[in-house]
Amino acid sequence: MIEALQFLVAEPRPNSFDVDDTSSERAAPPRPETAALPLDLRGLRKSFGDNDVLRGIDLHIPAGQFVTIVGRSGCGKSTLLRLIAGLEAPSAGQIGFGEDKLPGDVRVMFQEPRLLPWARVLANVEIGLGTERSSPDAKARAEAAMIEVGLDDKRGQWPAVLSGGQKQRVALARALVSRPRVLAFDEPLGALDALTRIAMQRLLEDVWRDQGFTAILVTHDVAEAVALADRVLVIEDGRIAKDLLIDLPRPRQRGSAELAALEGEILRDLLKGSEDAFEL
Amino acid sequence: MSLVETLARPRTWRLPQADGLIQWIVPLVIVVVWQAASSFGLVPARVLPAPSDVVVAGWKLLQSGDLVRNIWVSFWRASVGFAIGGSIGFAFGLANGLSGLSARLSDTTLQMVRNIPHLALIPLVILWFGIDEQAKLFLVALGVFFPIYLNTLHGIRTVDPQLIEMGRIYGMSNLELFRRVIFPGALPSVFVGVRFALGIMWLTLIVAETIAASSGLGYMAMQAREFMQIDVVVLSILIYALLGKLADSASRLLERLTLSWHPAFQKA
Ligand SMILES: Nc1ncnc2c1ncn2[C@@H]1O[C@H](COP(=O)(O)OP(=O)(O)O)[C@@H](O)[C@H]1O
Ligand SMILES: [Mg+2]
């Protein structure tokens, strides 16, 4: 772990946590003090032509919170995430990060890994360093990120030979290597098989706990949403229809009665008022 | 073309050595049958000379230096014409693939010109250039231009937009985006164009040298026809085939080297 986190020391950020603290490994470590950024969405709207996708989102996300977003297909989850990542401009309203963010501060991960097929795995991870990718320690930082996602032995491979789950882990390493302070995920596990999904959920939770960024995860899997989240948001008709805090200890027991109850509550909410054909 | 073929072909286990040799079995059988047919008088030498006669004719021309000189002239015309037409086609493909303005300006015009068979220009080209070198270079360059232009353009336009967005997210400059994402993404398609262009290059050169030249393989064949040297005619045809095959192999090799990341080119 110490080795894995060495690149964190290379470039200290204000408030960055003490690396020695993380040696306590996975078993319920104290939440590290983070350099995460809070998010403030004010009156956020987005329309495509006369399709009003987001109709006024007001939301404060404290630094370091793990938020999951669920909602019917086409309700604007991806749009919201793209606005947060700065890939689209809002039609109205604004997004604040508490302070001025730097280029590597907000990262996104998509359902498709989006790796360059013609670059080796390590070179793909180095891309994540953004404008710092030509710095002398770029390679070391990329290698550290590979260790973090448990793919150290694949650094010299072509992406084409990796499995779907491994490709997503490379994409995660690429997103992590710049030490983002906000990490947005758009159904990153949507294309994976059930077992790989569970392994990846654990990995996401682990890196989030290690690095303490603010995590915003869009998912169509309500069980995944309640298992990972500090807070679940349900989006409906372009607004936040439900905002549910989940205050259960981590790591959470899959299939526990509390999680199942929460999942049922959210599912009922999603189903309510939309009896006719819909997909989650 | 090869990439498409390679992609379509299921990957099967095979002996690497046998693979190199196996392709020569059919040509070898043809030569043997041909020689036998000539030797037993089944095919009159007037129609088709025996392979051995062709070899003898080749040897004589080799000794007189004519063969090497003519091959060299044709090879030079092919390469220079290819280089000129290929680089202009590549440049237009890049410009029109990357810039909407450039595409709006020139693409329609180029698509119209494309529909003129370039060999139809031969009379015009002879009026312009006589039978000078420029005439042959012009025709080869023109023939090579379109496959390279079209495939470069297609390659750039079909680069995965998600990869381009990824490059932008991670702060790549335009130049870097081109060098790391767009160009490598377009390369397989560019190679398809190169291999089409090589075929057109030889075809154009043969026709041009046959009609309007005073040196080169095509000219050698036409001269031989006038003197009823059918063995030299056949020799020229075989040399064209060989040069075509060489050019194709060279482009395949280049493809394999530059596309080693591609699943179709990865060895098990
Ligand atoms: N770039 C775009 N141009 C036009 N319409 C879009 C665009 N992006 C998304 N939309 C529309 O916005 C709506 C929400 O899309 P999206 O955010 O992808 O939904 P979700 O991720 O929740 O399934 C859809 O109706 C979609 O058609
Ligand atoms: Mg979506």
Side-chain angles (χ1 to χ4, degrees):
Chain A
M1 245 334 141
I2 303 246
E3 204 185 328
L5 291 170
Q6 251 160 15
F7 73 97
L8 299 182
V9 195
E11 189 211 17
R13 279 233 168 85
N15 302 330
S16 80
F17 58 90
D18 188 355
V19 173
D20 286 340
D21 281 348
T22 59
S23 54
S24 49
E25 288 280 359
R26 282 173 195 179
R31 275 293 297 281
E33 198 154 332
T34 69
L37 289 176
L39 268 83
D40 255 310
L41 315 189
R42 292 259 169 75
L44 200 63
R45 290 169 177 276
K46 180 70 184 176
S47 322
F48 296 102
D50 36 351
N51 181 5
D52 298 326
V53 180
L54 298 177
R55 306 173 185 184
I57 302 273
D58 287 284
L59 178 65
H60 174 78
I61 301 177
Q65 194 170 51
F66 199 132
V67 178
T68 58
I69 300 176
V70 294
R72 297 165 59 178
S73 165
C75 72
K77 305 183 293 292
S78 298
T79 303
L80 179 59
L81 222 59
R82 293 176 64 83
L83 289 172
I84 290 171
L87 300 178
E88 314 258 6
S91 306
Q94 48 200 337
I95 303 175
F97 291 92
E99 57 183 282
D100 285 341
K101 65 181 171 73
L102 298 169
D105 279 348
V106 181
R107 289 295 189 220
V108 223
M109 208 179 135
F110 299 94
Q111 180 166 343
E112 327 78 36
R114 302 194 182 187
L115 305 179
L116 295 180
W118 42 84
R120 305 264 180 190
V121 163
L122 193 67
N124 265 294
V125 174
E126 276 177 47
I127 287 173
L129 288 165
T131 48
E132 289 172 60
R133 63 185 146 254
S134 48
S135 71
D137 61 343
K139 194 156 178 246
R141 291 169 71 183
E143 277 168 3
M146 290 292 290
I147 294 170
E148 183 109 4
V149 300
L151 268 188
D152 190 37
D153 54 329
K154 300 284 190 230
R155 62 175 91 171
Q157 301 278 15
W158 295 118
V161 305
L162 303 182
S163 70
Q166 288 171 333
K167 283 182 193 160
Q168 271 311 38
R169 282 202 263 169
V170 176
L172 179 61
R174 182 181 61 194
L176 288 174
V177 72
S178 66
R179 283 191 65 211
R181 305 165 80 179
V182 175
L183 197 43
F185 304 92
D186 194 355
E187 308 196 17
L189 315 183
L192 304 179
D193 64 86
L195 285 178
T196 313
R197 278 181 82 99
I198 291 174
M200 284 293 289
Q201 286 167 8
R202 297 231 167 96
L203 180 64
L204 288 187
E205 194 174 14
D206 284 349
V207 293
W208 168 71
R209 297 218 289 176
D210 277 345
Q211 300 207 4
F213 46 80
T214 307
I216 305 164
L217 172 83
V218 165
T219 176
H220 57 248
D221 178 349
V222 179
E224 178 174 294
V226 294
L228 291 175
D230 292 328
R231 179 181 183 190
V232 181
L233 301 175
V234 179
I235 297 194
E236 217 175 275
D237 295 329
R239 293 196 181 80
I240 294 172
K242 195 176 180 74
D243 186 343
L244 190 71
L245 284 176
I246 300 188
D247 192 16
L248 296 175
R250 294 172 189 269
R252 293 173 183 161
Q253 204 60 49
R254 294 247 143 203
S256 75
E258 290 145 306
L259 286 185
L262 283 166
E263 187 184 340
E265 182 187 336
I266 292 168
L267 272 174
R268 263 193 307 283
D269 219 66
L270 281 167
L271 286 160
K272 189 183 60 193
S274 49
E275 306 303 339
D276 38 60
F278 85 93
E279 312 161 62
L280 282 181
Chain B
M1 209 184 301
S2 85
L3 186 66
V4 179
E5 282 164 16
T6 328
L7 285 173
R9 193 171 58 205
R11 295 236 266 151
T12 48
W13 185 87
R14 54 206 142 91
L15 275 175
Q17 255 175 327
D19 200 44
L21 294 177
I22 208 160
Q23 55 186 335
W24 296 107
I25 292 179
V26 174
L28 200 71
V29 168
I30 291 175
V31 170
V32 169
V33 171
W34 175 11
Q35 179 70 50
S38 299
S39 302
F40 292 118
L42 294 175
V43 182
R46 203 159 41 74
V47 176
L48 200 60
S52 54
D53 293 342
V54 175
V55 172
V56 171
W59 180 247
K60 278 192 205 144
L61 283 171
L62 197 63
Q63 280 181 322
S64 73
D66 280 353
L67 187 61
V68 174
R69 196 169 46 78
N70 283 320
I71 290 180
W72 172 249
V73 167
S74 292
F75 177 77
W76 181 86
R77 284 172 186 155
S79 325
V80 174
F82 186 93
I84 295 172
S87 34
I88 299 175
F90 185 67
F92 268 95
L94 286 188
N96 290 0
L98 297 173
S99 148
L101 177 67
S102 171
R104 279 195 297 281
L105 263 176
S106 65
D107 191 51
T108 310
T109 313
L110 289 173
Q111 298 290 350
M112 279 191 311
V113 177
R114 181 170 78 98
N115 288 314
I116 305 170
H118 66 296
L119 293 177
L121 296 182
I122 287 181
L124 197 58
V125 169
I126 292 178
L127 285 177
W128 287 345
F129 302 111
I131 57 169
D132 273 358
E133 286 312 304
Q134 290 107 301
K136 269 82 73 184
L137 294 183
F138 178 83
L139 284 169
V140 171
L142 190 64
V144 158
F145 172 88
F146 286 102
I148 303 235
Y149 166 69
L150 291 173
N151 286 285
T152 304
L153 182 63
H154 176 258
I156 289 180
R157 286 195 173 158
T158 51
V159 171
D160 185 354
Q162 294 188 334
L163 287 184
I164 295 176
E165 188 182 66
M166 182 280 295
R168 291 234 176 273
I169 292 172
Y170 287 108
M172 290 189 187
S173 63
N174 282 339
L175 187 68
E176 225 176 339
L177 200 64
F178 176 73
R179 197 173 57 77
R180 301 203 60 175
V181 183
I182 297 173
F183 181 70
L187 204 53
S189 178
V190 174
F191 272 112
V192 172
V194 166
R195 298 193 62 209
F196 270 114
L198 286 175
I200 291 181
M201 171 186 86
W202 289 119
L203 182 74
T204 311
L205 195 62
I206 296 165
V207 175
E209 285 187 343
T210 307
I211 295 171
S214 53
S215 60
L217 280 168
Y219 172 74
M220 189 174 92
M222 282 315 280
Q223 283 286 98
R225 182 195 59 95
E226 279 186 25
F227 298 111
M228 299 296 278
Q229 295 168 314
I230 196 164
D231 43 2
V232 176
V233 173
V234 173
L235 178 74
S236 317
I237 294 169
L238 290 180
I239 292 174
Y240 269 126
L242 200 69
L243 288 176
K245 170 76 185 150
L246 276 179
D248 194 61
S249 301
S251 81
R252 267 176 200 258
L253 182 71
L254 200 65
E255 205 172 353
R256 221 188 320 258
L257 291 177
T258 51
L259 302 183
S260 54
W261 54 269
H262 203 288
F265 291 98
Q266 273 164 25
K267 293 154 216 87

